[in-house]
Amino acid sequence: MKLFAGLSAFSITPADTAGHVDTGALARLLERISAAGADSIGLLGSTGGYAFLSRHERQRAVEAAMECVGGKIPVIVGVGALRTDEAQALARGARKAGADGLLLAPMSYTPLTEEEVFQHISAVAEAGELPLCIYNNPSTTRFTFTDDLIVRLARVPNIAAVKMPLPAQGDFKGELQRLRSRTPAGFAVGYSGDWGAADALLAGCDAWYSVIAGLLPSEAIALTQAAQAGNTSETERLDRAFQPMWGLFKEFGSFRVMYAIADVLGLCHAAPPRPILPLPSADMPRVKDALDRIAAAAA
């Protein structure tokens, strides 16, 4: 459970127009996360653009990450792929490179059944031989995990956590109670969807799988620690400062906005992989304004 707890910071994966990963730029981003004191790094998640990279480039990214921060901070590697055998190969490669855990979303072209998802994730968990987090990401995969499927998978060896989308009507406490009452002790329940992080953390979730922490780790850590300490007023103050950024995430998608943030901060100058287009230049001042508001709150 410790691996899938606290703040997990998800980095972008800088690459050129041909999809070749800039391992030097990636290492600098990961070193920044590690130095800030995040609880883990999420590598090659949705923010990391795993679906746009070849297996070879994904392996290069994992090896570069482990060479850079391995042993300093836990690294959780996304191993999603359309084919089960491909996901198994990615899981084995991540383990060989020294990854600490795996993250798996059920990618598909043909809509999947619950039994297909169960068998797919179980097979990858067995092949990877590392603690695995189920990635329930219906906005991307168009597959929504039922409680029954999560409970069934939670009993499979190596499956240790689930990364959930924000619940309907924001009922974090109800969902956490429901899942925890039916899953084994130690099975971790965390959330993505940065604009709901404050409420999720205050409700007692195990982990915040954070997009913004990939580029603003210190600021995200401050929000996480305030919520974990039960400091509601400070949590709400920091979350208010993030609101313009959450608005940009909702409007444009966090994937596009993260590349814009990296550019504004001068952290790297990579563009999102085509066909994804960069944020329109007319909206870049809004990104800078949102960053300024976060920085002012952290000062």
Side-chain angles (χ1 to χ4, degrees), residues 204-216:
C205 72
D206 294 301
W208 173 19
Y209 298 100
S210 173
V211 174
I212 198 64
L215 294 177
L216 300 180

Side-chain angles (χ1 to χ4, degrees), residues 7-198:
L7 179 70
S8 188
F10 279 69
S11 175
I12 61 172
T13 308
D16 65 18
T17 55
H20 298 134
V21 174
D22 183 341
T23 55
L26 176 63
R28 289 190 293 273
L29 295 177
L30 301 185
E31 285 172 346
R32 195 162 173 268
I33 295 169
S34 178
D39 294 290
S40 66
I41 284 172
L43 184 72
L44 299 173
S46 297
T47 304
Y50 71 94
F52 298 94
L53 297 170
S54 68
R55 189 205 298 182
H56 174 71
E57 291 301 314
R58 290 169 71 169
Q59 187 65 23
R60 286 185 64 236
V62 177
E63 290 171 356
M66 299 315 300
E67 182 177 348
C68 171
V69 297
K72 301 176 184 177
I73 181 173
V75 178
I76 302 164
V77 177
V79 293
L82 288 173
R83 291 179 58 92
T84 299
D85 56 357
E86 182 75 1
Q88 288 174 309
L90 289 162
R92 294 187 189 102
R95 183 187 74 236
K96 184 177 179 181
D100 299 281
L102 305 174
L103 177 70
L104 179 60
M107 294 178 67
S108 65
Y109 182 80
T110 300
L112 300 176
T113 67
E114 286 207 358
E115 184 60 28
E116 288 166 342
V117 169
F118 175 81
Q119 293 197 24
H120 173 69
I121 293 179
S122 297
V124 177
E126 181 179 10
E129 299 178 13
L130 289 173
L132 182 146
C133 179
I134 304 160
Y135 189 4
N136 184 2
N137 187 22
S139 64
T140 298
T141 64
R142 301 297 185 265
F143 181 88
T144 301
F145 285 78
T146 62
D147 285 3
D148 287 346
L149 180 56
I150 293 170
V151 170
R152 187 180 174 199
L153 283 165
R155 300 190 182 106
V156 173
N158 301 324
I159 297 179
V162 63
K163 177 183 177 184
M164 296 289 288
L166 303 179
Q169 288 80 49
D171 184 17
F172 293 99
K173 287 187 177 181
E175 185 167 81
L176 287 165
Q177 183 178 14
R178 195 174 67 243
L179 289 173
R180 285 170 173 165
S181 70
R182 299 184 60 195
T183 52
F187 184 80
V189 182
Y191 287 90
S192 55
D194 280 11
W195 50 90

